[in-house]
Each structure stands twice: as C-alpha cells, then as structure tokens.
C-alpha cells in the first residue's frame, strides 16, 4: 500500500506513519469492534438459530447466559464455559468450516477499511502484527488470513481426538489473560511491549492497554472513552461499517434507482433521433455521474487517457463491489457492452435496461452455454465497434485481494482481434463490500493501464496471456509479492485434501458438515495450536491440527501461512 493511500486515514494511522521501524515493535489488535464492526459471536449465534440447529432450550439458556454476562452477574469465563458445554462431541473441523461460512456471509463485509489500512501501515514499518482476542480461532482465522496476520492469540476450547470435550482451556484470552498471551509472544519473538501498540474498543482490555507503551483506543465504548480522556490516550472512531445512518439508506436507494431515471431521461433522444445506441450512451454516462454523486463516490483516476486510445477493446476489471457498475459507467460512458450472471436479468426493470444496453447474461455454471451466449458480443465489437466490459474473476471478491482469472475475456479478445485494457479498481469495497446493501461515501482509486496488444495471442499460449494480464493487476494492487509467497508455499507443501464425514450431532449443533471440494479449494495448512505457558506453569508440547483444504477464494491469494494460534495456558 502506498503512503498516499495510507495517508487518507488520519490520527492513529498518521502516528504509525511517523513511528520507527522494526520487528521488535508489536502492533496488537483486538478483533470484535476493532478490526470488524460488531461481534462475530452474535453472527455465529444468529446463524445457528436461523438454521434451526439449536433447540428451544439451548436458545433460552444461551440468551440467559449472555444476559447474565452483559449485566455483570457472570464473568467471561462463565460465558465461555456455558458455550462450551453445547459443543461437546462436535468436531473441531466442523467449526472451522462454520467459521468459513460466517466469514463469507457476514464477517468479510464488516472489516473496517480504515483498520485494513492501519494494519498495512504497521506492515510497511516491519512491525510484528498479532490479533489478541477473547474470541475463538473459528471466528477469527479467515479474517486473519485475509489480512495476512500470522499471529492469533485467542481463547480456546479443549479438543481431544478432533472433538470438543465441553471444557475450556484456561486462562482465557481475556483481561489479564491477554497480558499473559502478549508477554509470551513478546518473549518468543523478542518484542518490546514498551514500544508496542494495542488497539481495542473495550474497557475489558484495560490491563493490556496499560501494559503496552502505546495504547490506542479504537471505536471505544463509553467507559474506555472516559478512561482514555483521563489518561490522554489518543482516540479514533470508524464509521465506515456497521449500522448505517438514514442518509446512507437514502443515498443507496436513490443511486440504484438512478439507473431507471437515466434510462427515462434518454427516451427523448431515442424518440427524436431513432438511435437506440445514442440513447443508451447518454443513459450510461448520466447514470455513472448521478450514482457516483449520490453515493459520494469520488474517483481518483490515473491513466484516464487509456480509456479512449484503443477502442474498440475488451475492458477487464477486478470486481469487488456492486459500486463497480456505476464506476465503470462513469469512466467508459459510451459504446459498451457487458457480461452479467443470468440472475440479474430477472431483476424487474433493471434487468431489461441492462439487456437494452448490450449486456449479455450467462449461466456461470454452464461453460458451454456461456460461450454460446457471448458470441453476439464478438459481432458487437467487429461490426458495431463497441467495447466489451468483463470481470475475469467472474464474481465479486470478499476482499481487495485479486481472485483467479477465467479465460472468457481472453478468448473474446483473440476472436474479436482487439486490444485488452485493464482497469484496476483499488478499493470499491470501501463504498460497498460484497454482500452489503448500503453504499457509503469513499474516495476510490482507479488505475487504467495501457492497452495490451493481443494481435499475436493464440489459444495455445492462453495461460501465458492470462498470467501476464493478471500480473499487471497484481503489480498495480501491490499484491505481486503476496502471490509469489503463496505460489512458493503451495509448491513446497502440496498437501492432499482430507475428506471427513460429520456426525449427526455435529450437523445438528453447528450445521457445519464438511462441504464437498469445489474449484475454489486451495492447499493450505490448518492452524497449528501452540500453547504458551504462563509464568507459573511448564510449557506443554504443541498440539498439531490436521491438514485441511479450505473452500474460499481468499485462500488462493493469501500471502502467508495460516495464522498461528497462540493462547495463554
């Protein structure tokens, strides 16, 4: 991440930009409320209830335990003990899978972009980054992997023979337990906690905040905010995620509806000139201008001249957000066709408008029909001189990390005999991450790269061309080094996926039966749990967890091994 992008966020971030470098300085982050908006445990509970995987008695008891904890009548240890007993006999593997599902459905879109930038700033300084959380690895691991955070210090349930015993491992990573975990990490990696940072939203973390040299309350609750002001600790609050304001709902609804309004505004042009193409061109540019203005999406574009010098062409872009549609409409403006999944065609009014604008709808599950459906786009390029816009990833990614590329756009460029122009969108997820309804104001950086000559391409060398263009995206996004690290890791280990069968109890308790392998699956290690001893105990031997394949696209682009879990014992 460049300093220019990092500097868009201030306060805590600026402090890091001015900080000394070195791996001896730790950047410790709480998880819930700090890296993500809200609480991952709440998402986990509601997902179980939605799936009817908890009995009425279990739901009532869980709510009762949570109520006692929130009113101060029960400690965190009691809360975790109450949760642990419901898990007895459930496989740990199933909970890792459940955590992946939660990440995809809920947690990924809750990651604060400001927190992501803050973590990147610490990484640029060479600091040792760790998550120190009272949550469990099943809630944290996918996010830690996405953020390339190697160290995870967290609370743990006891596991024997791959199943939960119904007990917890003490001390939990809560209160003084976080201090113990941080000091053990410091001892293992020669960290200087007196020069280190800890970011947290809760007064429950006051012990570790007072232990480090640079306490940094982030999104603080009322009690922590009061203490921070007394101690003159710097404060910061993020508002880019979580519950939106009424204005956010209004801007989102109006921005979406502006597609229809723009189409209506173009009707007089169609009626008076008889040119559907000119009407659609007017509508496209107008929609891009109105929608970006309504949402407060400010574009910072480099290489804008490359949008016009090589038309007709195949525009390829990395797909992060539904905001990409309005961004591309504002940039390309005219004489464009596109590709969308067939489900969009069934959207009332909007689906028809997109079809009139030259969008081809494809069934991504049927490669043969998709290729046939895209054939008219070749004629649109050759005969009508239109440019085609397509996302080679095929779908939106959960994070800014680039997903693998499909080959459709590359075949299209060869058949049409036109150049390919890469449009690199850095942070459209700041406006609206995948699975998020609301759109919020943000400055989005876009790099339009020079056209790629495809005149000498052939199907025999297709893999080379895909790698070349994808490499251009990786370089522009600053992810080239991450991809090299992943490739080296996969080539070195190449583990075999382990197939497991969940028991009836594990399915009932957590709905976390092992999912079948998919094309998204990528080789990786399951976390190796290393228990670190307290000052008064003897260090125990590490407990290695079985190797497993994961099934989210984020695994294909992770730069490091899965986070190490380190918990105080």
């Amino acid at each position: 991440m460049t300093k220019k992008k990092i500097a868009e966020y201030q306060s805590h971030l600026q402090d890091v930009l001015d900080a000394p470098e070195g791996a001896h300085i730790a950047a410790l982050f709480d998880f819930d409320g700090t890296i993500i908006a809200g609480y991952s445990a709440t998402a986990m509970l509601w997902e179980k209830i939605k799936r009817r995987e908890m009995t009425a008695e279990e739901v009532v008891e869980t709510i009762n335990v949570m109520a006692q904890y929130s009113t101060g009548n029960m400690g965190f240890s009691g809360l975790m003990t109450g949760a642990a007993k419901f898990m007895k006999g459930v496989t740990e593997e199933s909970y890792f899978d459940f955590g992946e599902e939660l990440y995809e459905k809920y947690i990924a879109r809750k990651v604060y972009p400001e927190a992501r930038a803050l973590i990147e700033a610490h990484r640029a300084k060479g600091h040792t980054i760790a998550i120190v959380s009272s949550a469990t690895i099943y809630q944290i691991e996918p996010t830690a992997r996405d953020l390339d955070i190697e160290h995870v210090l967290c609370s743990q349930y006891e596991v024997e023979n791959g199943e939960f015993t119904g007990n917890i491992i003490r001390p939990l990573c809560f209160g003084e337990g976080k201090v113990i975990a941080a000091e053990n990490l410091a001892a293992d990696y020669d960290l200087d906690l007196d020069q280190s940072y800890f970011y947290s939203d809760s007064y429950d973390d006051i012990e570790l905040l007072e232990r480090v040299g640079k306490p940094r309350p982030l999104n603080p609750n009322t009690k922590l905010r009061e203490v921070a002001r007394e101690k003159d600790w710097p404060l910061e609050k993020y508002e880019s995620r979580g519950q939106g304001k009424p204005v956010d709902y209004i801007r989102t609804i109006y921005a979406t509806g502006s597609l229809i309004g723009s189409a209506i505004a173009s009707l007089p042009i169609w009626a008076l000139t008889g040119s559907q193409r000119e009407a659609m061109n007017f509508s496209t540019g107008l929609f891009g201008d109105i929608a970006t203005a309504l949402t407060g999406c400010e574009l910072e574009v480099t290489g804008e001249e490359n949008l016009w010098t090589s038309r007709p062409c195949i525009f390829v872009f990395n797909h992060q957000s539904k905001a990409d549609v309005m961004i591309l409409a504002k940039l390309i403006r005219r004489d464009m066709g596109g590709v969308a999944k067939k489900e969009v065609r069934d959207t009332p009014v909007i689906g028809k408008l997109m079809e009139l604008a030259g969008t081809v709808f494809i069934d991504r599950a049927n490669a043969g029909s998709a290729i046939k459906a895209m054939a008219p786009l070749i004629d649109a390029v050759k005969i009508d001189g239109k440019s085609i816009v397509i996302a080679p990833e095929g779908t939106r990614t959960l994070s800014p990390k680039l997903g693998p590329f499909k080959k459709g756009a590359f075949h299209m460029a060869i058949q049409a005999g036109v150049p390919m122009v890469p449009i690199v969108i850095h942070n459209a997820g700041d406006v609206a991450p995948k699975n998020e309804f609301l759109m919020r104001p943000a400055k989005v950086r876009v790099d339009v790269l020079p056209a790629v000559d495809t005149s000498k391409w052939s199907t025999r060398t297709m893999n080379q061309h895909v790698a070349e263009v994808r490499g251009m995206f990786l370089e522009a996004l600053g992810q080239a080094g991450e991809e090299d690290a992943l490739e080296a890791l996969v080539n070195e280990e190449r583990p075999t996926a382990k197939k497991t069968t969940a028991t009836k109890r594990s399915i009932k308790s957590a709905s976390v039966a092992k999912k079948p392998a998919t094309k998204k699956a990528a080789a990786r290690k399951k976390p190796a749990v290393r228990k670190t001893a307290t000052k008064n105990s003897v260090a125990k031997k590490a407990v290695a967890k079985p190797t497993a394949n994961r099934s989210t696209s984020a695994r294909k682009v992770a730069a490091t091994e899965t986070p190490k879990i380190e918990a105080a014992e």
Side-chain angles (χ1 to χ4, degrees), residues 93-104:
E93 174 69 19
S94 68
Y95 254 70
F96 273 110
D97 288 337
F98 189 35
E100 295 291 351
E101 294 177 29
L102 286 173
Y103 172 74
E104 293 182 8

Side-chain angles (χ1 to χ4, degrees), residues 13 36 45 54 82 128 312 331 414 433 459 462 468 501 535 543:
L13 184 57
I36 68 168
L45 176 61
M54 297 179 69
T128 299
L331 292 175
I414 292 174
T459 55
M462 181 64 70
E468 175 191 354
T501 303
K535 298 175 182 177
V543 181

